[in-house]
Amino acid sequence: MSNILVIGGGFGGLVTAKRLALELGKEHTITLVSPNRTFTFYPALVRLVFGDCSVDEITFDLPEALAELGVRYIQGEMTAVHPMLKRVAIEGGDINGEVSYDYLVIAIGRRLALGQIPGLREHAHHILGTKAAMKFSRAIDNFNEGRIVVGLSPGSRLPVAVCETAFALARHFDEKVKDGSISISVLFPGSLEDAFGGARLHDTLLEAFDRHKIHAHFDVPVSEVTKDEVLSTKKHRIHYDLLMLMPPFRGFTNLRELGIVDDDDFIKVDEKLRVEGMPASYAVGDAVGLSGPKLAHMAVRQAEVAAANIVSEIKGEEPREAYVHEVAAVIDSGGPDSIFLHYGVWKDEQTIKKGRFWSWAKDAHDAYWRHKAKK
Ligand SMILES: Cc1cc2nc3c(=O)[nH]c(=O)nc-3n(C[C@H](O)[C@H](O)[C@H](O)COP(=O)(O)OP(=O)(O)OC[C@H]3O[C@@H](n4cnc5c(N)ncnc54)[C@H](O)[C@@H]3O)c2cc1C
């Protein structure tokens, strides 16, 4: 009997645990550790901000969903890994001590490095989490005129949500954008190609921004935020009256001493998603050190690959499944400018499609996924 420990209860952790439970049955023990008892469907957070769904519709009880799968849940936070002993130190509600494993899957997402940009924490909104999203929502409700700036910080890896927020603001304030009392600007630290991991959608996206009267600014690496201005390393000073800035993403510093992380503390993996230099360990999702945007569909695909390879190892076989790094995303403009992007980061192959269909498709896909993840 093998003892598999999954750390993290987001897309990566939940899908890994679910796949393992379905493949392995009750013969092996699968345990998931997460500080949060709630699973949040992050891709719907932009809709939450604009009142298109409720918190209850995009969250569910994680221990309940895991219990139905036969997966044990521990509420707690991983504070250290001892690979030689195959043990993980956990602190939290259910346990303060060490838990052993035969196989480890690290799916702890990303850390928001708010302190990297002075003033960001105090003056800017972000939407990473239901509380932050609702706070931004209230600020929008109280906003009447002036300049709204939304942007991606250097090192932030979520361009889809930034673009969708800009489109949703343009729809929400349609009349005021037309009469000029509200303007919307979107900032990127480099080019759109950089933001989307190499995908070439500059012309398509710029055309859509133009049609919605959204002013797009490129090469604005934000370095500081004051109470009414965004400053960049390239000497920009951009005034704002309402600001949503996606914070820089980093990995977790407590893995540094193991020598398994890159310069931004993301975990280094091989194509089978095994953690480099740490036997019997896999990493999936935003925590992994791969280039380009960090997206849920990548976390899901990585979870499937890691689970398949663990099953092979348990059967005494070589891990066979390899991960292919691809961006597949819908940028929902709420109408005919919605974009479907499929881009092979390692292959440089790209498909772009445009149309209202992609807005409906994203809505339907989100609803289907939320339902499926709960079951
Ligand atoms: C506003 C927004 C919009 C988005 N839109 C899209 C979209 O349209 N399409 C798309 O594909 N993706 C989208 N994403 C990205 C997607 O949500 C993430 O890529 C995905 O959540 C990553 O999954 P994950 O499991 O790696 O991390 P997470 O979902 O962040 O889960 C990490 C888990 O690990 C837990 N954890 C953290 N530290 C520890 C620790 N030390 N010990 C134990 N547990 C720990 C956390 O509590 C959490 O449960 C969006 C994200 C946001 C915020």
Side-chain angles (χ1 to χ4, degrees), residues 26-84:
K26 294 208 163 69
E27 213 183 305
H28 304 274
T29 306
I30 305 160
T31 307
L32 187 145
V33 179
S34 171
N36 304 320
R37 298 180 68 87
T38 306
F39 175 93
T40 301
F41 188 84
Y42 283 114
L45 284 171
V46 177
R47 285 169 202 207
L48 178 71
V49 169
F50 293 91
D52 297 332
C53 58
S54 68
V55 172
D56 284 350
E57 283 173 294
I58 64 165
T59 55
F60 60 80
D61 187 78
L62 185 61
E64 224 174 76
L66 293 172
E68 280 172 28
L69 294 166
V71 174
R72 198 162 72 108
Y73 171 70
I74 294 178
Q75 184 169 20
E77 195 168 327
M78 175 185 81
T79 52
V81 185
H82 308 296
M84 301 304 284

Side-chain angles (χ1 to χ4, degrees), residues 26-165:
K26 294 208 163 69
E27 213 183 305
H28 304 274
T29 306
I30 305 160
T31 307
L32 187 145
V33 179
S34 171
N36 304 320
R37 298 180 68 87
T38 306
F39 175 93
T40 301
F41 188 84
Y42 283 114
L45 284 171
V46 177
R47 285 169 202 207
L48 178 71
V49 169
F50 293 91
D52 297 332
C53 58
S54 68
V55 172
D56 284 350
E57 283 173 294
I58 64 165
T59 55
F60 60 80
D61 187 78
L62 185 61
E64 224 174 76
L66 293 172
E68 280 172 28
L69 294 166
V71 174
R72 198 162 72 108
Y73 171 70
I74 294 178
Q75 184 169 20
E77 195 168 327
M78 175 185 81
T79 52
V81 185
H82 308 296
M84 301 304 284
L85 302 171
K86 287 197 165 178
R87 283 175 168 273
V88 168
I90 293 167
E91 282 178 19
D94 288 342
I95 197 167
N96 271 306
E98 290 187 357
V99 175
S100 60
Y101 63 83
D102 297 311
Y103 297 96
L104 177 68
V105 181
I106 308 177
I108 53 180
R110 77 267 119 202
R111 178 171 63 86
L112 301 183
L114 295 162
Q116 292 250 318
I117 299 182
L120 188 149
R121 197 189 298 272
E122 296 83 345
H123 304 298
H125 288 272
H126 68 77
I127 53 172
L128 283 115
T130 52
K131 274 193 196 142
M134 291 309 290
K135 187 167 164 257
F136 184 45
S137 182
R138 287 190 293 278
I140 291 169
D141 285 346
N142 293 327
F143 192 77
N144 288 312
E145 66 178 316
R147 185 178 199 184
I148 308 177
V149 173
V150 298
L152 197 67
S153 306
S156 187
R157 309 280 282 272
L158 211 46
V160 174
V162 167
C163 297
E164 288 190 340
T165 304

Side-chain angles (χ1 to χ4, degrees), residues 97 170 256 316:
R256 245 181 230 171

